[in-house]
Amino acid sequence: MSTTSQLAKRFREVLLDGKWIANTNFKDQLSDVTWEQATMKIDSLNTIAMLTFHIDYYVAGLINVFEGGDLEIRDQYSFDLPPIENEEQWETLKNKLWRDAEKFALLLEQIPDAKMNEVFVDEKYDTYLRNIDGMIEHCYYHLGQITLIKKMILSKHE
């Protein structure tokens, strides 16, 4: 299996369908979260909706690069979630993440392995491999946060 196929598989595992590393994934964790729960603020923590938006923001930004565009994403905008005021808006946000995640994985599978060691956009961003590995690690980091925030919300309302 090629390096890019392995990376795409790992990416899908954390977002869409895996259980191997964390025994869960984004899709699994978010499947039964209501829009009220997704937008519920617990102390100073980000909301589940904000973290969902945050991950999709970066996934969509890398898709743009994979498709030949510029790296247009900026950290300062990565939590600029538009208001979520109903279930439909929450479902739209989740569905965008699922679509973008699959698109990211499909585009990644098409990248030749040789490109993995090439500079990603600018030397300051290191290589494609480091950025894709970083994306997967970033997803697991926030998956852990979502899992804990969800437990906190559910325990408050038992």
Side-chain angles (χ1 to χ4, degrees):
M1 183 182 289
S2 70
T3 298
T4 53
S5 292
Q6 290 173 354
L7 289 166
K9 182 177 186 234
R10 287 181 48 219
F11 182 78
R12 281 188 182 103
E13 284 177 348
V14 66
L15 281 159
L16 301 172
D17 60 15
K19 301 265 186 188
W20 189 58
I21 300 291
N23 201 35
T24 191
N25 58 68
F26 269 78
K27 199 167 197 177
D28 184 43
Q29 282 300 305
L30 298 179
S31 66
D32 60 351
V33 172
T34 66
W35 77 272
E36 294 95 344
Q37 292 168 331
T39 57
M40 188 177 292
K41 190 80 171 135
I42 303 285
D43 298 321
S44 64
L45 302 176
N46 288 312
T47 66
I48 291 172
M50 288 172 91
L51 293 168
T52 303
F53 174 86
H54 177 74
I55 287 299
D56 185 60
Y57 180 82
Y58 283 104
V59 171
L62 292 191
I63 286 171
N64 194 53
V65 173
F66 289 173
E67 292 181 325
D70 294 328
L71 184 63
E72 298 171 349
I73 53 176
R74 300 292 176 262
D75 292 345
Q76 69 196 55
Y77 304 121
S78 68
F79 284 101
D80 288 356
L81 170 69
I84 302 285
E85 298 170 333
N86 58 51
E87 196 67 34
E88 183 181 348
Q89 291 170 335
W90 171 231
E91 289 299 319
T92 298
L93 177 61
K94 290 189 299 183
N95 287 331
K96 183 176 183 323
L97 177 57
W98 311 148
R99 282 190 313 274
D100 286 347
E102 185 56 31
K103 185 174 187 177
F104 180 98
L106 289 169
L107 289 168
L108 176 55
E109 288 170 331
Q110 296 170 23
I111 297 174
D113 281 355
K115 192 169 181 101
M116 288 295 103
N117 292 317
E118 290 180 14
V119 170
F120 183 83
V121 180
D122 187 301
E123 285 188 18
K124 68 182 176 185
Y125 298 122
D126 209 332
T127 64
Y128 273 79
L129 179 59
R130 183 164 170 97
N131 277 271
I132 294 162
D133 270 337
M135 174 63 78
I136 294 166
E137 292 167 9
H138 187 219
C139 289
Y140 274 113
Y141 171 75
H142 288 303
L143 173 61
Q145 289 179 322
I146 287 170
T147 302
L148 290 173
I149 292 166
K150 181 178 173 183
K151 286 180 181 180
M152 292 168 80
I153 289 168
L154 295 176
S155 72
K156 272 188 159 187
H157 295 91
E158 286 184 338

